[in-house]
Amino acid sequence: MADWWKNLIRAISTVFQGLLVTLRVWKATYDPSRKTFTEHFEYPELPAKVAPRYRGFHRFDLTTCIGCDQCAKACPVDCIYIGKERVENGKGFQLTHFTIDYTKCMFCALCVEPCPVDCIFMGGTLDLSSYSRDGALVDFTRLPIDVAWGRATLNPTAVAESKAVMYPVHGGPSQPEG
């Protein structure tokens, strides 16, 4: 019984010593004039500053992409999906969709290097919040050109609007295809 009490007292004293270390470090680093992240950067209203070589959400130039699949082959987690059709009366391919699944993407930038025409590179977007996982699937062919390419940041509102289906794919057996 005496050993049990010794062990209990030793356990309580070691926890207390750990708490004292934590309080000492907190007291040494506490700065009352330091602002929170949102007070310092006004984040939702103004974009936060990022380092020049920050690897954020991709930027993609649909007009120069030749559909070579080099970026999709280089991706170690297979998060890039490319759909293409052969161009009639010409050579090469036309993209039907270029989708990146950001639930899989690890922002390694390995897809940027093998591109022969430099149509994909890392952007400076910090946040692409959505309420569901399908919000993390970004099809760059459905985005307006100024959102996908012209800006440094992907706008979550524009991405959500690009996912809206404006017309039904098929109306059923009694409806003619339109």
Side-chain angles (χ1 to χ4, degrees):
M1 186 70 169
D3 288 338
W4 185 84
W5 284 105
K6 286 180 188 176
N7 288 338
L8 181 66
I9 292 170
R10 187 170 51 200
I12 291 172
S13 67
T14 55
V15 169
F16 186 70
Q17 288 173 0
L19 286 174
L20 285 177
V21 170
T22 303
L23 286 173
R24 241 182 292 139
V25 171
W26 175 77
K27 186 177 181 238
T29 60
Y30 178 70
D31 182 11
S33 65
R34 185 172 57 192
K35 299 177 184 177
T36 63
F37 181 83
T38 54
E39 289 172 340
H40 188 65
F41 291 109
E42 300 178 31
Y43 171 62
E45 289 80 24
L46 299 173
K49 293 179 176 79
V50 295
R53 295 184 60 174
Y54 175 75
R55 292 187 292 201
F57 292 93
H58 297 83
R59 289 177 65 193
F60 177 71
D61 185 9
L62 181 64
T63 59
T64 60
C65 183
I66 58 175
C68 65
D69 287 341
Q70 292 299 318
C71 54
K73 290 175 185 171
C75 182
V77 292
D78 294 329
C79 67
I80 299 175
Y81 311 108
I82 299 174
K84 58 188 175 181
E85 300 174 338
R86 186 164 290 283
V87 176
E88 294 180 15
N89 302 328
K91 65 179 194 176
F93 295 99
Q94 178 182 3
L95 292 181
T96 57
H97 70 272
F98 185 93
T99 306
I100 298 178
D101 185 359
Y102 285 112
T103 60
K104 292 181 180 179
C105 185
M106 59 185 188
F107 301 98
C108 61
L110 291 174
C111 57
V112 175
E113 293 300 322
C115 184
V117 292
D118 293 332
C119 65
I120 184 171
F121 58 95
M122 303 307 284
T125 307
L126 288 171
D127 185 22
L128 192 62
S129 298
S130 63
Y131 290 108
S132 64
R133 288 186 185 214
D134 67 339
L137 285 168
V138 177
D139 187 355
F140 285 88
T141 57
R142 294 189 68 184
L143 289 172
I145 293 293
D146 64 331
V147 174
W149 175 248
R151 297 183 183 172
T153 60
L154 271 176
N155 185 353
T157 308
V159 171
E161 288 173 359
S162 73
K163 294 174 185 297
V165 177
M166 299 301 172
Y167 53 90
V169 177
H170 189 269
S174 63
Q175 298 289 330
E177 291 186 32

